[in-house]
Amino acid sequence: MATYVISDIHGMYNKFIELLNKIKLKETDTLYILGDVLDRGPDPIKTLLKIMSMSNVICMLGNHEDMALDCLKFLTTEITEQSLSEVSEEMLENLVTWQYNGSKTTIDGFRALDRAKQQEIIDFIEDMPEIEEISVAGQKYLLVHGGLGDFYPGKSIEDYTIEELIWASAEYDIQYFDDTYVVTGHTPTQGIPGNPRPGYIYRQNNHIAIDCGAVRRSGRLAAIRLDDGKEFYTGD
């Protein structure tokens, strides 16, 4: 009954399957995915459908799912002269922002599905949790895609906004909690200042950062087993 965490797959389906084979995920194990399954890589919808078929996976909300949700809903509407005239400026801005952040492969995969399967994906994204607090082998962990924006000691988890949880980056030079490890994605470890192992899992100040840049040319998809701290990587 092991507990694993992965983040920021970004449509890299082959790397995801490679990593699943490396960790030898069993039905009795639990796998948390810290968001950003969608966009950029070649197979985001294929990857999401695979995750949706796995009963022992808890997929959390990333900023790319948050960015995509309203746009995917828009793609399911019938395009008419009237519907186009009613598109709000906010929706147009959302579509442009999403396109800038690598939406094409997500759109292509989504459009290839029938309406029922498209709705299943929308429902699945809407149900994604923003944060998980768990205990593994007596150790407490807080799992979140981005970080704890506007952090201050004593701030309740319930007081954080979606933007602070999935869009803000973690502050790796400070320690949020004495008794809890914060596991995050969102920020590739290649970009963490002072990281002695860029491209590998970063651990310092009770942070565990696991976005190892899977979609980058020399990047990796990483997993950590929380029970014993063992790390797994694609390509290594």
Side-chain angles (χ1 to χ4, degrees):
M1 298 178 66
T3 302
Y4 298 91
V5 189
I6 297 174
S7 190
D8 293 79
I9 302 170
H10 279 304
M12 303 300 286
Y13 179 81
N14 290 342
K15 286 186 177 181
F16 180 52
I17 297 302
E18 178 187 344
L19 196 58
L20 290 179
N21 290 335
K22 281 197 171 185
I23 66 178
K24 297 179 172 61
L25 189 73
K26 302 179 180 64
E27 290 185 2
T28 53
D29 297 335
T30 301
L31 171 62
Y32 290 89
I33 299 175
L34 306 185
D36 279 11
V37 175
L38 298 181
D39 302 341
R40 295 184 176 162
D43 298 303
I45 295 299
K46 183 178 180 180
T47 306
L48 190 62
L49 290 172
K50 171 64 176 176
I51 290 167
M52 290 167 61
S53 74
M54 301 171 70
S55 60
N56 58 342
V57 175
I58 298 170
C59 189
M60 299 173 60
L61 188 70
N63 62 300
H64 279 260
E65 286 76 41
D66 185 51
M67 191 166 28
L69 184 56
D70 285 343
C71 298
L72 292 176
K73 290 179 181 179
F74 173 76
L75 292 176
T76 65
T77 62
E78 183 180 358
I79 304 301
T80 65
E81 192 171 315
Q82 180 178 351
S83 67
L84 287 174
S85 68
E86 294 173 350
V87 176
S88 67
E89 185 175 336
E90 181 182 5
M91 176 55 71
L92 288 174
E93 290 178 358
N94 288 346
L95 289 165
V96 169
T97 301
W98 189 35
Q99 182 182 31
Y100 178 78
N101 283 279
S103 67
K104 185 181 185 305
T105 52
T106 301
I107 292 172
D108 290 346
F110 188 76
R111 282 179 168 166
L113 303 175
D114 60 38
R115 280 286 188 262
K117 189 61 70 174
Q118 288 177 348
Q119 190 59 51
E120 285 182 33
I121 285 176
I122 289 170
D123 292 343
F124 186 75
I125 295 173
E126 286 185 322
D127 287 341
M128 287 179 177
E130 297 148 20
I131 198 163
E132 291 281 345
E133 297 178 89
I134 64 174
S135 179
V136 178
Q139 174 61 55
K140 292 192 288 186
Y141 296 89
L142 189 151
L143 313 181
V144 63
H145 174 70
L148 300 177
D150 191 29
F151 169 82
Y152 55 83
K155 183 175 181 179
S156 171
I157 292 300
E158 290 75 21
D159 290 335
Y160 286 94
T161 66
I162 289 180
E163 286 74 19
E164 290 169 343
L165 295 174
I166 67 172
W167 287 91
S169 294
E171 297 181 71
Y172 295 108
D173 58 342
I174 68 171
Q175 182 170 310
Y176 291 138
F177 309 107
D178 293 332
D179 62 347
T180 301
Y181 287 96
V182 180
V183 188
T184 56
H186 190 54
T187 302
T189 63
Q190 293 91 332
I192 298 176
N195 180 9
R197 294 198 310 155
Y200 291 89
I201 290 173
Y202 174 84
R203 308 192 205 200
Q204 191 167 316
N205 298 324
N206 283 6
H207 288 280
I208 304 176
I210 64 171
D211 176 3
C212 295
V215 79
R216 297 185 177 196
R217 182 175 297 178
S218 58
R220 303 167 181 83
L221 188 61
I224 185 168
R225 177 171 170 163
L226 297 184
D227 312 63
D228 58 11
K230 188 174 181 180
E231 300 174 6
F232 303 83
Y233 300 93
T234 57
D236 283 8

